[in-house]
Amino acid sequence: QAHLVESGGGSVQAGESLILSCTGPQLADADTALCLGWFRQWPGQKRVGVASLVVWPLRQTYYADPVKGRFTISHDSAKSTLYLRMNSLNVEDSGMYFCAASTDVCAATISMRPLKHDFDWGQGTQVTVSS
């Protein structure tokens, strides 16, 4: 299956905003039972869940504590795209961001931990926030 493709990262000042996008055929299903989410990776560390979304049977979002109230995840199945709007960015938000789709993504977000299984990751998109 094709990789998910992340985009939208960049270098910004603290307090500014970015919108990340993730596209791929895995995101085309409006009734997917998978959890869709975003992971952040700091240099030398594992990727941890920061935001996720389950769309079926009930739409529910999950956010790691450090990003609650600042990040918003959304999904457009018609465009096969997952978004992450990042507001009030701070230096700790810097890192490589990846998207994923699996049944473990939501739990990984709640606990802000890595996935418990292998996943065929995309290239990611770099977010750099300077103070």
Side-chain angles (χ1 to χ4, degrees):
Q1 196 168 31
H3 287 139
L4 293 168
V5 178
E6 302 90 350
S7 63
S11 296
V12 297
Q13 296 288 317
E16 294 184 341
S17 300
L18 282 173
I19 299 176
L20 306 184
S21 299
C22 169
T23 60
Q26 303 92 322
L27 304 175
D29 186 357
D31 297 321
T32 179
L34 298 178
C35 184
L36 314 175
W38 287 92
F39 286 69
R40 184 195 68 211
Q41 185 174 26
W42 286 339
Q45 298 194 26
K46 294 184 178 180
R47 294 164 193 160
V48 295
V50 294
S52 59
L53 166 71
V54 62
V55 298
W56 186 89
L58 293 174
R59 181 171 289 264
Q60 181 70 49
T61 56
Y62 303 92
Y63 298 96
D65 285 344
V67 308
K68 283 180 181 176
R70 301 188 297 117
F71 288 13
T72 303
I73 188 171
S74 60
H75 174 232
D76 186 337
S77 58
K79 296 182 179 180
S80 301
T81 302
L82 183 71
Y83 300 98
L84 183 67
R85 181 171 183 84
M86 311 163 72
N87 291 335
S88 302
L89 284 162
N90 58 55
V91 174
E92 290 73 27
D93 295 319
S94 297
M96 283 293 288
Y97 283 75
F98 301 83
C99 56
S102 87
T103 56
D104 189 46
V105 167
C106 287
T109 298
I110 294 169
S111 301
M112 204 172 181
R113 60 161 173 79
L115 287 175
K116 290 186 175 180
H117 57 81
D118 291 336
F119 186 79
D120 199 8
W121 299 96
Q123 294 296 311
T125 188
Q126 176 69 43
V127 172
T128 303
V129 185
S130 54
S131 59

